[in-house]
Amino acid sequence: MNKKDVVVIGAGPGGYVAAIRLAQLGKSVAVIDKGSLGGVCLNWGCIPSKALIHAAKLYEEMANAEEIGIKVKPSIDFAQTQKWKQEVVKKLTGNIGQLLKTYGVEIIKGEAMFEGPHKIKIKGVNSGQESVEFGSAIVATGSKTIQIPGFDIDGENVVDSKQALEWTKIPKRLAIIGGGVIGMEIGMLYQKLGTEVTVVEMMDQLLPGVDAEIAQSLGRICKKRGIQVHLSSKALEYKKGKNGLSLEIETPSGKNKIDCDVILLSIGRSPNGAGLGLDKIGVNVTPKGQIPVNSKLQTSLPHIFAIGDVAGPPQLAHKASKEGLVAAEIIAGHNEEYDVRAMPGAIFTDPEIATVGLSEAEAQKQGIAYFVGKFPFAASGRALSTRHTEGMVKIVAEKKSNLILGCHIIGPDASDLIGEATLAIEMGATVEDLALTVHPHPTLSESLMECGEAALERAIHILNRPARESPRKREVEKHA
Ligand SMILES: Cc1cc2nc3c(=O)[nH]c(=O)nc-3n(C[C@H](O)[C@H](O)[C@H](O)COP(=O)(O)OP(=O)(O)OC[C@H]3O[C@@H](n4cnc5c(N)ncnc54)[C@H](O)[C@@H]3O)c2cc1C
């Protein structure tokens, strides 16, 4: 019988990170995956989508470089782009496999199911079955695309994100059901490559959950780019005709039809907690497949942990990895818990969007008296010199303490800039801390500093005069 201190089910960014840390802490570990090492993130999610988004951005930049004296007429061999993307994925997943092997982690390919509170049965991908006994287990089985009746994913008319990221031909007309993160990233990617894109979103804003002002800003940019967006609208059915597909939608002004060649279904992902035999051993799983956990990431059986998408939102790779590290430390006997104060999120639209902490709406809902600082990239020398001036940095801060509660960025390199704001919130920084920190020039990071200054109504590169009852006035009074 194969016996291990810990068995990890799922080798995505939650599972493989947990397995490596457990091995570093001296535990004997097996990681079981029925798919590919790296999970959704490395194989069909974060990495492949960002590789294609990079290629599309480069293509668009080249096509529009005449203003700065560069004259090229690019053409794209998308099959080659896909080949390159696959090489990136292969390299990364290969590295993960190598790391796991070097740390002595046993990699088992197959589908895992609990047979008892300390025993897992594995159905091999090609043949046979085997079992592993364990002291502790970590469930990191991720999530899957949510489907809706009438829109079965057939890979031809209706596709999911995995299939849309594997096309070797660029579609002419793409309709997207769901204007969330995945839908908008893929929509903007193909729009850059010449696809006619229409987005149907049930809520009254794109990117539901993101700061409304930032989401509206993206809506305006989509319009400028020619992406059609239908908000507060519902996809009803589609029909196949001689000239492609006709998607019927219900909009606030009545029924409408969208002509397209393919439909991307991206209305969200549901956790993969069902079908693992957890119910038989007394681990609670919600009807939606989520495995509830406490702050130590323990399920209702304390020696069985759940991390990543399967343990609930936000569905982000770095959240899964952080939970993987915490679960590993707890299993190794360390006094840890998941106490993340600021969980950043990055959205690779164009421009990028990144957020951390409270939005204005959330601050209002929590009854917090707050104030806001904003700094537009149009006033940044660095943004101007790279021709990416759309967007802004916005900070939400607490009135009584000036503590930074949230930061929301739409603009160039937002995904990298948000790291500083995340650290600021984790460290309990105030807007003064941000404003008083010297930032290198000329960089986009100066926009965070100027946003701090703007919150105090004293930014240099935008017109900023203290108003009555302003935080600046309070600051002046404090120092009088
Ligand atoms: C198109 C797309 C783009 C994305 N972009 C980003 C991004 O830019 N940034 C970001 O932070 N997040 C992004 N995400 C989300 C991110 O991919 C997930 O949050 C992350 O992969 C979750 O990690 P995980 O370890 O929980 O699970 P997963 O990565 O889903 O891995 C789960 C693994 O478990 C295995 N498994 C499942 N059931 C079993 C079983 N019974 N037995 C054995 N193995 C099993 C699966 O084969 C899989 O390999 C994106 C997602 C998609 C779909």
Side-chain angles (χ1 to χ4, degrees):
M1 171 64 72
N2 191 350
K3 281 190 181 168
K4 289 284 185 291
D5 292 333
V6 191
V7 168
V8 181
I9 307 177
Y16 82 73
V17 167
I20 289 175
R21 177 53 53 88
L22 283 160
Q24 287 171 336
L25 293 167
K27 298 287 173 192
S28 63
V29 189
V31 61
I32 308 166
D33 202 298
K34 63 179 180 183
S36 306
L37 289 181
V40 168
C41 175
L42 268 62
N43 293 284
W44 309 290
C46 324
I47 299 301
S49 60
K50 268 82 250 183
L52 294 183
I53 286 167
H54 169 74
K57 228 172 162 173
L58 185 61
Y59 175 81
E60 191 184 55
E61 287 247 341
M62 288 171 82
N64 296 312
E66 213 167 313
E67 184 198 2
I68 52 173
I70 299 170
K71 292 179 189 171
V72 271
K73 264 206 174 131
S75 66
I76 187 156
D77 172 355
F78 202 50
Q80 173 57 31
T81 311
Q82 287 287 8
K83 226 166 114 187
W84 163 75
K85 175 207 85 181
Q86 222 36 54
E87 284 302 312
V88 174
V89 170
K90 207 170 125 194
K91 202 165 183 177
L92 272 173
T93 51
N95 285 348
I96 301 301
Q98 204 49 51
L99 275 170
L100 288 169
K101 276 187 201 138
T102 312
Y103 275 113
V105 174
E106 186 181 354
I107 302 168
I108 304 173
K109 206 164 165 50
E111 186 169 353
M113 191 186 267
F114 286 88
E115 231 180 6
H118 288 276
K119 194 172 177 188
I120 281 174
K121 186 174 75 183
I122 303 137
K123 212 165 104 195
V125 170
N126 297 320
S127 63
Q129 285 194 0
E130 57 175 306
S131 296
V132 196
E133 283 188 1
F134 58 86
S136 301
I138 299 179
V139 183
T141 48
S143 61
K144 57 179 175 297
T145 302
I146 295 175
Q147 307 219 21
I148 45 174
F151 293 92
D152 291 343
I153 293 170
D154 59 9
E156 191 194 327
N157 302 315
V158 184
V159 299
D160 62 8
S161 59
K162 175 176 184 282
Q163 292 159 340
L165 294 170
E166 283 172 348
W167 284 326
T168 48
K169 280 200 184 127
I170 299 160
K172 277 206 172 71
R173 299 170 302 173
L174 169 65
I176 300 175
I177 306 178
V181 175
I182 293 174
M184 292 315 296
E185 284 188 0
I186 295 179
M188 291 194 102
L189 144 66
Y190 282 108
Q191 184 273 331
K192 282 183 195 311
L193 300 177
T195 305
E196 223 176 82
V197 176
T198 309
V199 179
V200 184
E201 168 55 50
M202 203 139 107
M203 306 299 279
D204 60 1
Q205 72 163 59
L206 289 173
L207 306 174
V210 166
D211 186 272
E213 193 179 5
I214 299 281
Q216 279 156 16
S217 206
L218 184 74
R220 281 192 297 274
I221 290 164
C222 282
K223 203 169 171 192
K224 233 163 68 184
R225 287 182 162 271
I227 297 177
Q228 291 244 20
V229 176
H230 297 275
L231 296 178
S232 309
S233 300
K234 193 176 166 200
L236 300 174
E237 58 168 0
Y238 79 92
K239 287 200 175 86
K240 198 170 176 165
K242 266 203 306 240
N243 297 318
L245 310 178
S246 173
L247 172 64
E248 190 177 21
I249 63 169
E250 177 97 60
T251 75
S253 52
K255 285 188 179 167
N256 204 338
K257 283 203 165 78
I258 297 165
D259 294 328
C260 58
D261 300 307
V262 62
I263 298 166
L264 166 64
L265 186 64
S266 58
I267 56 163
R269 297 177 62 83
S270 60
N272 284 332
L276 296 167
L278 285 165
D279 47 336
K280 286 183 220 125
I281 60 166
V283 171
N284 292 341
V285 181
T286 70
K288 287 193 169 160
Q290 184 182 326
I291 306 174
V293 290
N294 61 17
S295 65
K296 292 199 171 286
L297 306 170
Q298 292 162 311
T299 66
S300 42
L301 277 192
H303 70 289
I304 297 184
F305 296 71
I307 60 169
D309 284 6
V310 77
Q315 292 176 338
L316 293 166
H318 43 279
K319 177 255 191 190
S321 298
K322 178 68 187 173
E323 288 182 340
L325 293 174
V326 172
E329 298 283 344
I330 291 169
I331 290 170
H334 300 160
N335 188 17
E336 279 265 1
E337 64 175 25
Y338 183 78
D339 61 353
V340 172
R341 205 161 154 185
M343 179 57 67
I347 306 171
F348 294 77
T349 43
D350 189 8
E352 290 182 357
I353 292 175
T355 69
V356 64
L358 298 187
S359 64
E360 276 196 78
E362 284 164 341
Q364 276 162 20
K365 212 166 145 194
Q366 292 183 25
I368 299 172
Y370 69 93
F371 62 100
V372 163
K374 292 180 201 174
F375 186 78
F377 282 107
S380 151
R382 178 67 179 162
L384 209 64
S385 59
T386 54
R387 301 201 305 157
H388 293 293
T389 52
E390 279 174 323
M392 65 168 166
V393 180
K394 174 174 172 181
I395 287 172
V396 179
E398 191 187 37
K399 232 175 193 169
K400 73 167 190 271
S401 62
N402 284 5
L403 270 177
I404 299 169
L405 301 174
C407 179
H408 311 274
I409 308 175
I410 177 165
D413 295 348
S415 58
D416 282 316
L417 294 175
I418 205 69
E420 180 178 347
T422 308
L423 184 66
I425 296 176
E426 277 291 344
M427 304 282 294
T430 62
V431 280
E432 285 92 344
D433 291 324
L434 202 55
L436 293 174
T437 303
V438 179
H439 286 65
H441 178 74
T443 62
L444 295 168
S445 71
E446 286 172 296
S447 304
L448 276 158
M449 172 186 73
E450 288 240 39
C451 190
E453 296 271 33
L456 300 168
E457 296 176 341
R458 60 182 197 207
I460 297 299
H461 292 96
I462 52 171
L463 194 58
N464 219 185
R465 290 201 190 100
R468 245 162 46 88
E469 287 311 314
S470 68
R472 170 69 175 147
K473 181 167 173 271
R474 284 188 290 112
E475 198 206 18
V476 171
E477 280 166 1
K478 204 167 67 189
H479 293 105

